[in-house]
Amino acid sequence: MAGPTVHWFAWLKDEIGQEGGSAKILSMPNSDDPNPALWVRTLRMEIGPLDENTFIVAHSLGTVASMRYLQEYPDARIGGLILVSGFDQRLSNIPELDRFMDWQPIDHSTIRHMTAHCAVITAKDDEIVAPELSVALARSLDADLIELDRGGHFLGSNGFDTFPQVWQKLRQQASAR
């Protein structure tokens, strides 16, 4: 139930722009009743051709949609992937998302093959996505794990109008390719 104007999303886009890059913040359809096929279709329509200059930063349920989108292009290579409060399993505290989660499995090996630069960021006090789910995802993707002691679900209401750790990791990924 996020949108392009909330949390740290616009701040990150501005930081990228100040460095001479460009970024899009996508508005996912029906975020109050997410449909996985529509979300992947939106990503397909909004993201240009995938190449090593493509970096994807996704948050929460957007991480699931992003991984499903990426696995449609197994031969593509991207510059980097950052999954904030990422997960790939059902959330016991939000059974309303079970339909979204059951739609299509995540092919971790395809995602691993697409980029050498993958990171998962979690907080030990995330009340929405259990941190152990993010840790398990990082292991499955062989991704860098950034585990913060505090941060909740990295929402504006958790104090995240900016997110320097994401920006730092993105800059690191971009300079390493």
Side-chain angles (χ1 to χ4, degrees):
M1 298 190 47
T5 62
V6 297
H7 314 312
W8 44 270
F9 308 150
W11 171 84
L12 182 61
K13 180 181 178 184
D14 289 346
E15 292 296 308
I16 293 167
Q18 289 176 23
E19 291 282 323
S22 65
K24 291 182 182 179
I25 305 171
L26 304 183
S27 180
M28 303 310 284
N30 304 322
S31 63
D32 56 341
D33 184 23
N35 177 311
L38 286 177
W39 280 35
V40 170
R41 187 175 94 200
T42 298
L43 293 171
R44 206 179 298 122
M45 290 183 330
E46 293 290 334
I47 299 174
L50 297 173
D51 60 29
E52 292 193 2
N53 293 313
T54 303
F55 293 83
I56 295 177
V57 177
H59 176 254
S60 194
L61 194 58
T63 67
V64 177
S66 295
M67 290 185 288
R68 286 179 176 154
Y69 163 72
L70 288 171
Q71 69 193 24
E72 290 185 352
Y73 304 95
D75 296 325
R77 300 295 169 266
I78 63 171
L81 178 64
I82 300 173
L83 305 172
V84 178
S85 291
F87 62 102
D88 60 0
Q89 302 173 45
R90 285 181 170 197
L91 301 178
S92 61
N93 55 325
I94 311 177
E96 298 85 2
L97 295 180
D98 287 355
R99 179 179 61 101
F100 195 100
M101 296 309 299
D102 294 345
W103 181 65
Q104 182 183 70
I106 303 297
D107 182 351
H108 300 103
S109 64
T110 295
I111 307 297
R112 278 193 307 268
H113 183 69
M114 296 182 85
T115 184
H117 308 291
C118 184
V120 175
I121 301 176
T122 187
K124 293 178 182 177
D125 64 345
D126 191 330
E127 67 286 353
I128 296 173
V129 173
E132 57 267 17
L133 297 180
S134 294
V135 171
L137 177 61
R139 277 193 209 111
S140 294
L141 294 174
D142 194 25
D144 294 338
L145 176 65
I146 300 169
E147 205 171 7
L148 304 178
D149 288 329
R150 298 183 114 23
H153 197 56
F154 304 111
L155 305 173
S157 60
N158 298 126
F160 280 81
D161 297 321
T162 65
F163 203 160
Q165 293 90 337
V166 170
W167 178 227
Q168 179 183 3
K169 184 49 109 173
L170 184 58
R171 291 180 78 204
Q172 182 184 45
Q173 287 182 353
S175 67
R177 59 178 182 87

